[in-house]
């Protein structure tokens, strides 16, 4: 155990997703450059009594070959011998998902990008071509993916790789050690709010039964100005104005265009719609891919059952409303049992959790029980409220595969990460910055954190001491069985930080490479003499809300050597430096770097450095 003292109006056709992908979508591939034998890595079939259970609408807890919802997926993973291959082409192009045309950055010409899907245990090979024409590099992060033994494939420019140059290509290779719904997005500066994002579906067991899988449901805020222009509002200390619109799986049919605006194309606007059959059970993977908005989600006339949070299967619980922070994912099951006596159409609602329905109209998608209906549903439901944008209660998020953290210390004042902000001078300009660990993160794209941690990549000594202070490194060591714990505070005495000041704001805190356990989460200021921990199988996820003026206490096992980013997932805050990087078991990182990985990593950094020296576009934010 270690504790660190730091300051810190078309109808959208919805298809039934298969419970398991067939081999016809597969191809073989040898991971010659990865020094891992997956056949020997966590693949011994677990000793379950119910060896013969088969995944079906009546037994969604089953998977295959004895693997099921109770299998500890960090110890046992099916070996399928299958590789799923995808190609993503990133371009600049106009987009009008809400009927207002704007220049965006798209993947394969659309937003969201194509669904990357695989079965639990499959390997993935994803080729990304950067065809941007605005002098931007890029990288793709696979949000929530553990990346055990593949830290270099985490896809964060300036942390685990150099950016891919325009007209350049990168191939990401990783294995699906988890299952559920997630997303991928650019992790190069502020690209993802402009459209570089898409869903991930990793098929596996589910903790409650369902009939039809509707696949991912991406909800997001949407701006009609590009994110890079909005960045200057954040860096100047002015709050970035709220979004112009919102999208549900890339569509929104209710944006009000100004008369005569040449960018308006009402015919391009559409409403996400799905048809239900009475008596059926439907599964959705709901993902908040916003830049800055935490959403309250509910469905008129329906409750739903939550079965997974951030790729962690949980004990099913029923609710009528969910607050979904940026980066969070929930798999839910909806029973098609609404009262259709008066009408057969029902709104799917998403509203900024800090606003009311009068301030932010929530009516975004439609469930229809009559496929021929084209009517808008009635506006009859009451707003369920948002409980201060809070995550679900900790008692509701009970992982099916338990974890029991050990050697939990007593937490004292001053042993925290303080979320604060301050002004500094950079390139002769006064800029507004956020910090998480007594430093506002600012990286050099040409020298990623991984280069400092693994001498084979750069010749730099492999210790956090070799990192520039602006990289905000936190060195952690230990064994697979050890745990580290952190208090993250949003309200604190000014004496505890050298230059930062607290600002009343909630922050969705995301950790790469790990799920963390949530031992405590409160909207009150942290009091070292008065706090309560949830230690028996606490909730486990990779994004949790730091409440306004409150605190989080989290922990994770030191079982994944690598350089892992922790950051606020509000895009403007990450851009302004609200991040740090854990340098975990640095001396072991090189074991996962085969000769091909080292060669490609070096060639990419050389290409980026040469391009950047001649480029007209220069780094203006943290880089992530």
């Amino acid at each position: 155990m270690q504790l660190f003292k730091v300051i810190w109006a078309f109808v959208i056709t919805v298809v039934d997703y298969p419970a398991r992908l067939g081999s016809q979508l597969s191809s073989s591939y040898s991971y010659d450059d990865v020094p891992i034998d997956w056949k020997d890595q966590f693949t011994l079939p677990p000793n379950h009594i119910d060896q013969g259970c088969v995944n079906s609408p009546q037994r969604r807890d089953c998977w295959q070959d004895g693997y099921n919802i109770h299998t500890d997926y960090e110890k046992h993973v099916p070996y399928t011998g299958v590789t799923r291959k995808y190609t993503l082409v990133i371009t600049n192009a106009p987009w009008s998902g809400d009927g207002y045309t704007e220049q965006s950055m798209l993947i394969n010409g659309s937003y969201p990008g194509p669904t990357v899907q695989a079965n639990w245990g499959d390997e993935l090979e994803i080729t990304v071509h950067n065809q941007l024409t605005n002098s931007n590099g890029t990288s793709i992060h696979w949000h929530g993916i553990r990346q055990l033994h593949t830290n270099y494939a985490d896809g964060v420019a300036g942390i685990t790789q150099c950016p891919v140059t325009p007209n350049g290509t990168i191939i990401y290779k990783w294995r699906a050690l988890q299952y559920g719904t997630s997303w991928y997005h650019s992790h190069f500066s502020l690209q993802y709010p402009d459209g570089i994002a898409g869903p991930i579906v990793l098929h596996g067991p589910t903790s409650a039964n369902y009939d039809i899988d509707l696949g991912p449901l991406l909800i997001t805020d949407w701006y009609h100005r590009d994110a890079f222009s909005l960045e200057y509002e954040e860096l100047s200390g002015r709050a970035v104005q709220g979004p112009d619109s919102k999208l549900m799986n890339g569509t929104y049919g209710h944006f009000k265009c100004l008369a005569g605006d040449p960018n308006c194309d009402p015919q391009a606007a559409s409403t996400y719609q799905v048809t239900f059959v009475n008596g059926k059970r439907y599964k959705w993977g709901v993902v908040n891919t916003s830049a800055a908005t935490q959403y309250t989600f509910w469905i008129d006339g329906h409750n739903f059952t939550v079965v997974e949070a951030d790729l962690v299967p949980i004990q099913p619980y029923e609710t009528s409303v969910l607050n979904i922070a940026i980066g969070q994912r929930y798999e839910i099951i909806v029973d098609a049992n609404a009262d259709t006596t008066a009408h057969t159409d029902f709104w799917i609602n998403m509203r900024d959790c800090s606003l009311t329905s009068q301030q932010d109209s929530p009516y975004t998608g439609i469930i229809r029980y009559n496929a021929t209906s084209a009517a808008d549903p009635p506006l009859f439901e009451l707003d369920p409220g948002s409980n201060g944008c809070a995550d679900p209660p900790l008692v509701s998020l009970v992982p099916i595969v338990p974890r029991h953290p050990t050697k939990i210390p007593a937490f004292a004042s001053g042993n925290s990460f303080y979320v604060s902000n301050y002004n500094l001078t950079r390139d002769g300009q006064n800029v507004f910055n956020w910090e998480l660990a007594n430093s506002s993160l600012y990286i050099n794209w040409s020298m990623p954190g991984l280069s400092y941690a693994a001498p084979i990549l750069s010749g730099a000594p492999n210790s956090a001491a070799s990192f520039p202070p602006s990289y905000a490194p936190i060195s952690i060591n230990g064994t697979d069985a050890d745990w580290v714990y952190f208090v993250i505070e949003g309200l604190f005495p000014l004496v505890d930080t050298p230059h930062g000041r607290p600002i009343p704001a909630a922050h969705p805190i995301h950790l790469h490479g790990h799920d963390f356990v949530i031992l405590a989460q409160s909207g009150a200021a942290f009091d070292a003499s008065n706090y309560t921990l949830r230690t028996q199988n606490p909730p486990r996820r990779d994004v949790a809300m730091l409440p306004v003026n409150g605190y989080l206490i989290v922990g994770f096992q030191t079982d994944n050597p690598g350089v892992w980013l922790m950051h606020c997932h509000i895009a403007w805050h990450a851009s302004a430096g609200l991040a740090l990087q854990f340098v975990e078991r640095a001396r072991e990182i090189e074991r996962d770097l085969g000769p091909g990985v080292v060669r490609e990593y070096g060639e990419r950094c050389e290409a980026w450095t040469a391009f950047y020296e001649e480029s007209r576009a220069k780094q203006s934010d943290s880089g992530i």
Side-chain angles (χ1 to χ4, degrees):
M1 181 281 298
Q2 298 176 9
L3 177 67
F4 297 93
K5 186 173 182 178
V6 292
I7 307 289
W8 60 291
F10 303 131
V11 173
I12 306 303
T13 302
V14 180
V15 299
D16 178 11
Y17 272 63
R20 182 186 293 119
L21 295 180
S23 59
Q24 69 271 17
L25 298 180
S26 312
S27 58
S28 61
Y29 179 82
S30 175
Y31 272 50
D32 295 331
D33 292 334
V34 183
I36 304 164
D37 186 349
W38 287 120
K39 292 180 180 178
D40 297 330
Q41 207 52 26
F42 310 133
T43 54
L44 295 176
N47 235 347
H48 290 302
I49 297 174
D50 199 1
Q51 291 283 340
C53 82
V54 177
N55 187 276
S56 69
Q58 293 74 40
R59 292 298 307 271
R60 294 298 188 189
D61 60 318
C62 299
W63 190 236
Q64 64 181 35
D65 302 328
Y67 293 85
N68 61 39
I69 196 72
H70 298 286
T71 301
D72 188 338
Y73 47 85
E74 292 187 2
K75 296 179 180 178
H76 305 288
V77 178
Y79 178 76
T80 66
V82 168
T83 296
R84 313 282 175 179
K85 294 187 178 184
Y86 293 90
T87 298
L88 308 179
V89 181
I90 302 174
T91 59
N92 302 98
W95 182 250
S96 56
D98 61 356
Y100 186 94
T101 302
E102 58 185 308
Q103 283 297 316
S104 301
M105 301 186 210
L106 305 178
I107 302 176
N108 294 7
S110 68
Y111 180 83
T115 300
V116 170
Q117 56 180 321
N119 289 333
W120 181 24
D122 286 351
E123 295 168 354
L124 291 97
E125 178 189 335
I126 307 163
T127 302
V128 177
H129 300 291
N130 179 2
Q131 294 186 5
L132 294 171
T133 57
N134 57 353
S135 298
N136 271 217
T138 198
S139 68
I140 298 294
H141 169 58
W142 316 98
H143 185 103
I145 301 303
R146 189 179 178 202
Q147 298 292 3
L148 184 68
H149 301 301
T150 50
N151 178 222
Y152 53 84
D154 196 42
V156 187
I159 303 294
T160 59
Q161 67 168 87
C162 290
V164 183
T165 60
N167 298 314
T169 295
I170 187 171
I171 301 175
Y172 293 99
K173 305 170 186 177
W174 47 271
R175 190 178 181 213
L177 303 177
Q178 306 135 284
Y179 51 86
T181 303
S182 195
W183 63 306
Y184 60 89
H185 59 85
S186 170
H187 228 305
F188 176 93
S189 193
L190 281 165
Q191 286 183 340
Y192 94 75
D194 283 346
I196 305 181
I200 298 173
V201 177
L202 303 176
H203 300 278
T206 303
S207 63
N209 293 330
Y210 63 90
D211 298 298
I212 298 169
D213 189 344
L214 296 173
L217 185 65
L218 273 57
I219 61 176
T220 190
D221 52 18
W222 195 247
Y223 294 81
H224 293 161
R225 291 169 56 192
D226 75 83
F228 290 90
S229 66
L230 295 169
E231 169 201 3
Y232 293 104
E233 296 183 13
E234 176 72 26
L235 294 179
S236 67
R238 303 191 307 270
V240 177
Q241 294 300 305
D244 299 287
S245 187
K246 64 182 73 173
L247 301 176
M248 181 172 284
N249 274 1
T251 68
Y252 184 60
H254 308 287
F255 176 71
K256 307 299 183 184
C257 273
L258 295 176
D261 190 327
N263 292 321
C264 283
D265 181 10
Q267 298 303 312
S270 58
T271 297
Y272 175 84
Q273 303 180 45
V274 61
T275 300
F276 274 14
V277 175
N278 192 55
K280 296 292 186 181
R281 296 160 298 182
Y282 295 85
K283 185 172 84 164
W284 259 316
V286 189
V287 186
N288 187 344
T289 65
S290 295
T293 309
Q294 330 301 328
Y295 277 109
T296 300
F297 175 90
W298 74 98
I299 305 170
D300 286 356
H302 299 76
N303 289 347
F304 48 85
T305 300
V306 184
V307 295
E308 188 173 273
D310 294 0
L311 298 179
V312 176
I314 63 173
Q315 298 290 348
Y317 80 94
E318 185 174 310
T319 186
S320 60
V321 61
L322 267 179
N323 288 334
I324 308 177
I326 302 168
Q328 289 183 336
R329 297 87 66 206
Y330 292 96
E331 288 197 343
I332 66 173
I333 294 173
V334 186
D335 283 334
N337 59 4
D339 182 353
T340 57
T341 304
H343 59 90
T344 60
D345 306 297
F346 299 85
W347 285 112
I348 309 170
N349 301 281
M350 52 183 282
R351 168 184 53 72
D352 184 327
C353 66
S354 66
L355 303 175
T356 67
S357 289
Q358 287 71 40
Q359 296 168 313
D360 180 22
S361 176
Y363 313 112
T364 311
I366 299 175
I367 291 173
R368 301 195 186 280
Y369 283 79
N370 179 354
T372 65
S373 174
D376 277 352
L379 310 179
F380 75 99
E381 290 286 335
L382 296 176
D383 189 309
S386 298
N387 190 28
C389 296
D391 285 340
L394 298 186
V395 295
S396 296
L397 304 177
V398 181
I400 288 179
V401 177
R403 293 287 179 270
H404 300 290
T406 61
K407 299 180 182 179
I408 301 173
F411 298 102
S413 298
N415 286 344
S416 300
F417 292 155
Y418 291 152
V419 175
S420 60
N421 63 58
Y422 65 100
N423 291 75
L424 57 76
T425 300
R426 180 181 294 148
D427 297 330
Q429 293 185 319
N430 187 49
V431 294
F432 176 91
N433 277 256
W434 287 91
E435 65 181 0
L436 180 56
N438 200 28
S439 178
S440 183
L441 184 134
Y442 184 87
I443 52 82
N444 177 352
W445 285 319
S446 295
M447 189 69 174
L450 186 57
S451 294
Y452 287 99
I456 195 173
L457 297 175
S458 66
N462 61 345
S463 72
S466 68
F467 283 67
S470 67
Y471 278 50
I474 303 293
S475 180
I476 57 177
N477 291 297
T479 69
D480 287 357
D482 290 326
W483 289 77
V484 290
Y485 303 95
F486 307 93
V487 181
I488 307 173
E489 296 185 50
L491 181 64
F492 49 86
L494 289 177
V495 70
D496 287 340
T497 181
H499 43 59
R501 60 188 181 273
I503 294 290
H507 301 273
I509 302 298
H510 173 48
L511 175 63
H512 293 214
H514 292 274
D515 296 325
F516 48 64
V517 295
I518 305 175
L519 301 178
Q521 185 178 36
S522 173
F526 178 68
D527 181 350
S529 65
N530 184 22
Y531 63 90
T532 301
L533 301 181
R534 186 175 180 84
T535 60
Q536 295 302 308
N537 193 24
R540 198 167 66 249
R541 61 188 318 166
D542 57 64
V543 182
M545 282 296 287
L546 171 63
V548 177
N549 292 333
Y551 66 91
L552 272 173
I553 302 180
V554 300
F556 60 88
Q557 289 179 272
T558 57
D559 58 1
N560 196 3
V563 180
W564 305 111
L565 192 66
M566 175 187 271
H567 64 99
C568 174
H569 223 296
I570 295 173
W572 324 124
H573 294 182
S575 173
L578 211 172
L580 57 79
Q581 51 187 318
F582 290 113
V583 185
E584 182 177 353
R585 295 165 61 173
R587 296 189 181 279
E588 301 174 49
I589 292 174
E590 288 190 359
R591 298 178 186 178
D592 295 329
L593 303 178
V597 172
V598 173
R599 181 184 65 254
E600 292 176 7
Y601 183 101
E603 291 173 350
R604 187 171 305 109
C605 286
E606 289 178 4
W608 172 257
T609 300
F611 165 79
Y612 189 72
E613 288 177 351
E614 302 296 327
S615 173
R616 59 183 175 83
K618 298 301 182 181
Q619 182 176 345
S620 60
D621 70 351
S622 67
I624 62 168

